[in-house]
Amino acid sequence: MSVIAVTGIGLLATQDPELGELRDAAVLAVDGRVTWVGPSDALPEGAGEERVDAHGRCVVPGFVDSHTHLVFAGDRAEEFAARLVGLPYAAGGIRTTVEATRAATAGALEAGARRLAAEALASGTTTMEVKSGYGLTVADERRLLEIAGRLPATVATFLGAHVVPDEYTDRPDDYVDLVSGPMLDACAPLAAWCDVFCEDGAFDVAQSRAVLDAGAARGLGLRVHANQLAHGPGVALAAELGAASADHCTHVTDADAAALADAGVVATLLPAAEFSTRSPYAPARRLLDAGVTVALATDCNPGTSYTTSLPFVIALACREYRLTPAEALRAATAGGAAALRMGDAGRLSPGARADLVVLDAPGYTHLAYRPGVPLVDAVVRGGRVVYSRRATPDRRGDQGAP
Ligand code: NIG
Ligand code: FE
């Protein structure tokens, strides 16, 4: 049995609707699950083999990044630079990464994904969704999902319908047949979710529906890249099919928002993609006002959003979506968990995973108030300290070591 106590928490933002925010709190976890949350002075004396002292600072649940494309090769810095001088983003850029990814060894792909996962952990992410989608052959998509499955604390999504690969340009419906048949047969056992990029330049609504139906028939939950570049049918399709999440939602109408709310579909908003593609920002307030559950995620990928940092995303959401810091934190924790239908993540209350972040700050408002500054002091995942800033070389100097 392993027991860990996190004590001296100045502010604990539990994200549990009943517990709310606690001051001078402690958290106790046994074998990776939270068993007790309460006032520090009520923690039983001697509880916890392992102790983490938060020294009066703020503790939040580990971030749940419910939308990433972590497994790929190469980068697209030139495409990004071209956008800075006015070129628009188009879905076709995905093919550049497909070419590099197909040419890379599995070892190189896994090393790259692990580097990004470590980066995400150091910024407080304890659960990550990871999509395939840069292979686009049966073997390459499988390879990406195998790698995703080897990363710690990840949930895998099949995104064979990311874009039509070059070799199918003249016969896109044949590619849809491949994805809906043999590719899903090979990939579904390695994934929990099926996603599709429903957009002009990627897949139309009929093609998207075919892929999603085929994914559902194989037991996968559904998610949709919807309404990213323009208003389109993706959000309505996600609502109609009862997807867990409609992602991007940059261009949505009031009717779309009502459909998401009625169907209980989470709107996963990706402001770092909007930042990096210089697109308008999603109408987050309108979605919240319509009663939609909102999640915030990074969309980490080399084309539209090459960041692993949910603190950066939270800062953008506060500034550009006009979310309060409390709303943004909720969306990056409990919201992400809702988007992945994980009832035991994104909150700190008995029964939840013992995944938490000690911030080097008195409150979570600092995540937006101090943008770009690394504020994560320690990360506990599954009841173990898996990251500590004190252990990194630049802090060792503080402690007198070389
Ligand atoms: O979520 N929109 C589709 N997929 C990614 C972009 C992928 C790429 O450009 O490589 C996204 O933004
Ligand atoms: Fe994406």
Side-chain angles (χ1 to χ4, degrees):
M1 189 167 85
S2 77
V3 187
I4 184 168
V6 183
T7 61
I9 303 170
L11 177 67
L12 177 66
T14 68
Q15 304 308 314
D16 181 278
E18 268 151 43
L19 289 173
E21 295 184 3
L22 306 176
R23 299 222 167 247
D24 302 320
V27 174
L28 192 65
V30 177
D31 292 339
R33 296 266 156 191
V34 175
T35 54
W36 181 89
V37 171
S40 243
D41 54 13
L43 183 74
E45 200 53 37
E49 293 154 16
E50 191 175 358
R51 289 231 168 194
V52 174
D53 189 342
H55 296 290
R57 295 171 300 174
C58 178
V59 168
V60 299
F63 301 129
V64 179
D65 193 348
S66 58
H67 183 140
T68 82
H69 307 248
L70 220 63
V71 196
F72 61 84
D75 80 21
R76 285 162 39 205
E78 282 170 22
E79 181 188 315
F80 175 76
R83 280 203 298 276
L84 295 180
V85 293
L87 233 71
Y89 173 76
I94 295 170
R95 295 192 189 93
T96 311
T97 300
V98 170
E99 199 182 322
T101 302
R102 286 178 178 176
T105 64
L109 290 171
E110 183 163 340
R114 284 191 182 277
R115 180 180 61 79
L116 293 172
E119 212 178 82
L121 181 70
S123 61
T125 296
T126 51
T127 303
M128 239 187 192
E129 183 257 18
V130 176
K131 300 174 197 298
S132 66
Y134 289 120
L136 311 187
T137 66
V138 174
D140 283 302
E141 285 296 296
R142 243 194 97 86
R143 185 164 79 132
L144 301 187
L145 289 170
E146 281 165 359
I147 292 167
R150 288 198 290 272
L151 303 174
T154 55
V155 180
T157 295
F158 169 69
L159 180 58
H162 198 182
V163 77
V164 176
D166 284 337
E167 60 275 21
Y168 282 90
T169 303
D170 300 332
R171 44 190 185 111
D173 286 332
D174 288 356
Y175 184 66
V176 173
D177 290 344
L178 174 71
V179 172
S180 310
M183 201 184 277
L184 256 169
D185 286 337
C187 292
L190 300 175
W193 300 97
C194 180
D195 194 347
V196 57
F197 186 13
C198 182
E199 193 86 34
D200 277 352
F203 297 90
D204 67 22
V205 68
Q207 295 168 329
S208 300
R209 183 192 298 276
V211 171
L212 293 169
D213 283 347
R218 287 164 179 79
L220 301 183
L222 305 182
R223 11 196 9 95
V224 183
H225 276 73
N227 301 38
Q228 176 185 6
L229 306 178
H231 185 262
V235 164
L237 182 66
E240 181 198 323
L241 298 183
S245 174
D247 298 49
H248 287 284
C249 296
T250 304
H251 302 274
V252 290
T253 60
D254 288 344
D256 290 324
L260 292 175
D262 287 348
V265 180
V266 175
T268 298
L269 305 185
L270 308 167
E274 290 154 351
F275 172 85
S276 172
T277 57
R278 311 192 94 173
S279 104
Y281 284 94
R285 285 246 66 92
R286 204 141 51 75
L287 289 162
L288 284 171
D289 291 347
V292 179
T293 300
V294 166
L296 287 171
T298 62
D299 195 14
C300 181
N301 76 80
T304 62
S305 185
Y306 200 3
T307 180
T308 50
S309 171
L310 269 166
F312 171 62
V313 167
I314 287 170
L316 281 179
C318 290
R319 171 67 177 81
E320 305 293 349
Y321 289 164
R322 298 177 180 270
L323 299 196
T324 64
E327 287 170 331
L329 176 65
R330 167 150 303 232
T333 54
L340 295 174
R341 300 211 170 138
M342 291 174 70
D344 61 351
R347 66 178 167 94
L348 289 168
S349 50
R353 293 164 185 242
D355 294 351
L356 60 85
V357 181
V358 181
L359 296 176
D360 198 1
Y364 53 80
T365 297
H366 279 56
L367 291 167
Y369 174 45
R370 304 204 65 219
V373 176
L375 287 181
V376 172
D377 193 59
V379 180
V380 172
R381 183 167 64 201
R384 301 193 182 283
V385 178
V386 286
Y387 171 81
S388 170
R389 186 150 62 159
R390 273 164 243 264
T392 61
D394 57 346
R395 278 291 185 98
R396 253 181 260 145
D398 299 345
Q399 294 156 18

